[in-house]
Amino acid sequence: MTRRVLAIDFGGTKVALGTATVGATDGRPHATVRLDTRGAEGAAQVVERTLAAARDLVAEPAAVGVATFGVLRDGVVRLAPNVPGWDGLPLPRLLRAAFGDTPVAIDNDVNAGAVAELRWGALRGADTGLYVNVGTGLSAALVAGGRILPGANGAAGEIGYLRDTADAPAFADDRAPLEEAISGSALARRGSALLGRPVTAAELFESYPDPSVAGLLDEALDTLSRTVANLSIVLDPQRVVIGGGLMGAAHHILPRVAAVLDRSVPFPPRLAAASFVDDAPLIGALSMALTLAAARP
């Protein structure tokens, strides 16, 4: 009898679900379903619709892997303000109630992306590594001993809260200073204000090095490069992998980061683009589920 696992990626704008056969080796889901999060309608309906879609996709999964935005602490999701009711949601308990005795693994979306890279991607074989996700938001995952470091509260790698200057706002001000400066959503907001019309971060990079946007993007790339270099000095990774939605501009991002790593880090790590960009958290959730299933008879 074929055994299948289920993966779920809860995102702020979409939810992705996928399945794979136990023993799969390529990380690609065999079947997928995508739902709009409809976050303004609250957390309860997101979970309810997702679980209904999961039951339609695979009735009895051998194991379940779940990625979610935010971080998990004491059985609830924290640092997740985008969907009303998600911050403080007891997601692990809801999943246990839904899947009964089926084992469930759950982690935040960036850690899940790093799991995908460790198993099948650009971090494969690395003992110590750094995974930086630059997309709508900004976060990182730290790898040591070939495993993700969660931190004492599950919040290791939440680099969006880093302060670049002494007078920068802080978490206590309900702000994420670095994320508000260089994430995709930040660049879109700042670029739209600069140009006087709505633009996306991708559109800004498409027009680079146009003088109208070059200053903004140069500043963002310098800040990102400096951040990655500082993290590399602390962690001393073998590899640094950069992923996320902004990697459509990898030809602008990677050379700038590489130059700063070479100049700043005593033992510069190898830098690479992520192997999985669009569905990294879903693929990481598949990996977590496959690991659980392999441990069961």
Side-chain angles (χ1 to χ4, degrees):
M1 177 180 175
T2 301
R3 300 168 69 216
R4 291 191 296 164
V5 298
L6 171 69
I8 302 172
D9 170 27
F10 288 105
T13 59
K14 69 170 178 61
V15 179
L17 301 92
T19 65
T21 301
V22 174
T25 58
D26 62 359
R28 299 296 181 182
H30 299 163
T32 57
V33 172
R34 299 183 191 278
L35 310 172
D36 290 332
T37 302
R38 296 178 2 207
E41 299 175 30
Q45 59 82 28
V46 182
V47 175
E48 181 179 343
R49 291 189 297 112
T50 299
L51 293 177
R55 288 189 290 270
D56 290 339
L57 193 59
V58 52
E60 296 183 3
V64 180
V66 178
T68 178
F69 56 99
V71 302
L72 291 158
R73 184 173 187 266
D74 298 331
V76 299
V77 183
R78 298 297 187 193
L79 306 182
N82 295 340
V83 174
W86 207 265
D87 198 295
L89 184 73
L91 188 58
R93 178 174 62 77
L94 296 175
L95 294 170
R96 287 194 299 270
F99 292 106
D101 293 334
T102 301
V104 177
I106 180 169
D107 208 334
N108 76 54
D109 50 3
V110 175
N111 283 350
V115 168
E117 296 296 331
L118 277 168
R119 185 165 187 161
W120 294 298
L123 284 171
R124 187 172 185 177
D127 180 78
T128 307
L130 175 66
Y131 173 76
V132 180
N133 185 279
V134 189
T136 303
L138 177 71
S139 191
L142 313 179
V143 176
R147 302 170 65 88
I148 307 297
L149 292 177
N153 301 290
E158 291 295 316
I159 62 173
Y161 295 101
L162 289 175
R163 303 176 70 195
D164 200 36
T165 61
D167 59 351
F171 173 72
D173 307 310
D174 199 26
R175 302 284 294 276
L178 193 63
E179 184 172 273
E180 291 173 16
I182 63 173
S183 66
S185 58
L187 290 178
R189 172 180 48 79
R190 297 174 67 192
S192 297
L194 180 68
L195 299 176
R197 57 182 174 84
V199 292
T200 65
E203 289 168 341
L204 292 175
F205 276 108
E206 286 170 5
S207 62
Y208 185 77
D210 186 297
S212 63
V213 301
L216 171 61
L217 295 180
D218 283 339
E219 175 193 342
L221 290 172
D222 287 346
T223 301
L224 174 64
S225 300
R226 183 169 59 250
T227 300
V228 174
N230 286 338
L231 291 170
S232 297
I233 291 168
V234 172
L235 184 62
D236 188 25
Q238 294 166 274
R239 297 182 212 165
V240 171
V241 172
I242 302 182
L246 284 190
M247 286 306 284
H251 57 294
H252 293 304
I253 296 171
L254 291 180
R256 295 285 285 269
V257 175
V260 175
L261 287 175
D262 287 343
R263 292 190 61 198
S264 306
V265 181
F267 302 97
R270 195 175 87 196
L271 178 67
S275 299
F276 305 105
V277 176
D278 295 328
D279 274 335
L282 181 67
I283 294 169
L286 271 181
S287 176
M288 293 189 289
L290 288 167
T291 298
L292 283 179
R296 300 186 81 194

